[in-house]
Every structure is written in structure tokens, then in C-alpha cells.
Amino acid sequence: MPLRSFRFGMFLDGYDGNSPQSYGPKFHRWLPDGEEDAIALPTDDAGWCVRVWFKREGKMEGAFIKYARGETAFDSSTIEKQGSLNGGPLRGQLDADLDDEDITAIQAPSEHGERVARRIIQAIDTPVSSFVEILRTNYGQYWLTPWPSWDSRIHSVQAALSFRGVRLVSENEQLTESS
């Protein structure tokens, strides 16, 4: 079966007024460089792979880098001098071996599509939820919102995919990214 890629992403800010305003985890004198610093997470499905990362985004405000979505206009030498750097939203990619029939089924409501979508959600949620909990507990990033668990009694499978920002990466995007 061909390997299909699904991108996803979500802000983990959970700002409640009592914790530091953040758009994700804080880093000290280092900032992950997107997919180059991606972390591979294990999945229950053999042949499926989940990778997560934080993208370097921000702009200079005085002598400091301040998080700004989609902006990269900052002096990267400032990173090693700054004590608190915002990681922004968690981004990721699921690579799954799914055939054309599975992909078509996901896009139209059907029993088969629901089963495939549930596998995708589980393949993402299980390792990513554990990863976020490790950030929250082992690394003291208590303000991060836990990764949401999906409850099929409340939300449809399509709503769960949408909430996580899950989208199929087109073949054109894959060709562009690999070049």
C-alpha cells in the first residue's frame, strides 16, 4: 500500500490568566527548527509513523524574539541569548499505509470511512497525548493544555479530525517538501 501523509497541528496554550502567556511550550536558549528537529513517536499500527515538531516562528521586539505566527524575521543568533522562547503550536505528521479506497472512504460518510478515520485519530492521539503529558509533567510545562481525547458520543469522527487540523498531504506537497 502507498504511504499517505496527514498533517495536523494545535495550539497548546490554555492561557488561564494565572500561568505565563504562552502559545506552546517554553524553551531556554534553544528553539526547535521545525521538521529538522522532529521527534518520532511510536504508534500501535505497524508501518505507521507519527512525528511532531515546533516551528521556529517569531519577530524581533527590541532585543528579544517574540512569538508571531508565520513570521521568521528574527536574528537566529539571539536564540542562544534568550532565556524564554515560545515554541508555538504543536505540529505533526502521520505517515500511514492506506490505499486509494481508504482515502476516498474518509472523504465521504461511510462505515468504512469511519473505521479508517478512527484509526487515524487513535494513531495520532495516543502518542501525541503521551508526549504532551511528558512536556507538562517531566519538563514543568504545566500551562500546556492536555491533548484532547475524542469522545464519539459528543463529536463526530469528522469533527475530531477537523479539531486536530488533520489534512491529507497532496502528492504535489510531498514532492515540494522532499526537494
Side-chain angles (χ1 to χ4, degrees):
M1 275 189 260
L3 201 59
R4 304 299 175 105
S5 297
F6 296 87
R7 289 282 173 116
F8 59 92
M10 185 180 300
F11 278 97
L12 303 172
D13 54 354
Y15 182 63
D16 62 5
N18 298 319
S19 44
Q21 177 136 22
S22 179
Y23 300 97
K26 299 281 189 178
F27 294 93
H28 179 76
R29 299 177 189 248
W30 178 77
L31 196 55
D33 198 6
E35 289 184 71
E36 288 183 30
D37 291 325
I39 298 170
L41 304 174
T43 65
D44 294 335
D45 277 300
W48 289 32
C49 176
V50 171
R51 295 179 314 116
V52 294
W53 63 86
F54 297 95
K55 189 175 174 184
R56 270 187 193 178
E57 295 180 314
K59 63 182 179 181
M60 294 301 295
E61 269 194 18
F64 297 100
I65 299 170
K66 182 177 179 184
Y67 177 77
R69 188 170 187 177
E71 293 193 37
T72 56
F74 59 85
D75 180 6
S76 58
S77 68
T78 307
I79 292 172
E80 60 194 38
K81 299 173 193 161
Q82 190 166 330
S84 179
L85 293 151
N86 217 312
L90 177 68
R91 294 176 165 96
Q93 180 169 312
L94 166 67
D95 294 322
D97 37 324
L98 296 172
D99 58 27
D100 291 336
E101 183 181 315
D102 293 332
I103 298 301
T104 304
I106 294 170
Q107 296 165 344
S110 69
E111 212 172 290
H112 176 65
E114 177 112 358
R115 279 194 309 275
V116 175
R118 282 176 183 265
R119 277 183 67 199
I120 290 169
I121 292 168
Q122 183 179 5
I124 292 170
D125 281 4
T126 302
V128 174
S129 177
S130 296
F131 174 73
V132 172
E133 274 310 300
I134 288 169
L135 289 177
R136 288 171 45 85
T137 56
N138 296 12
Y139 294 97
Q141 308 273 336
Y142 62 89
W143 58 86
L144 297 178
T145 304
W147 190 260
S149 59
W150 174 53
D151 185 345
S152 62
R153 297 170 300 175
I154 299 171
H155 300 289
S156 70
V157 70
Q158 293 300 330
L161 289 171
S162 178
F163 185 69
R164 289 153 181 76
V166 176
R167 67 177 181 79
L168 178 65
V169 177
S170 71
E171 289 180 27
N172 291 340
E173 285 178 283
Q174 288 177 344
L175 291 173
T176 305
E177 291 168 4
S178 63
S179 342

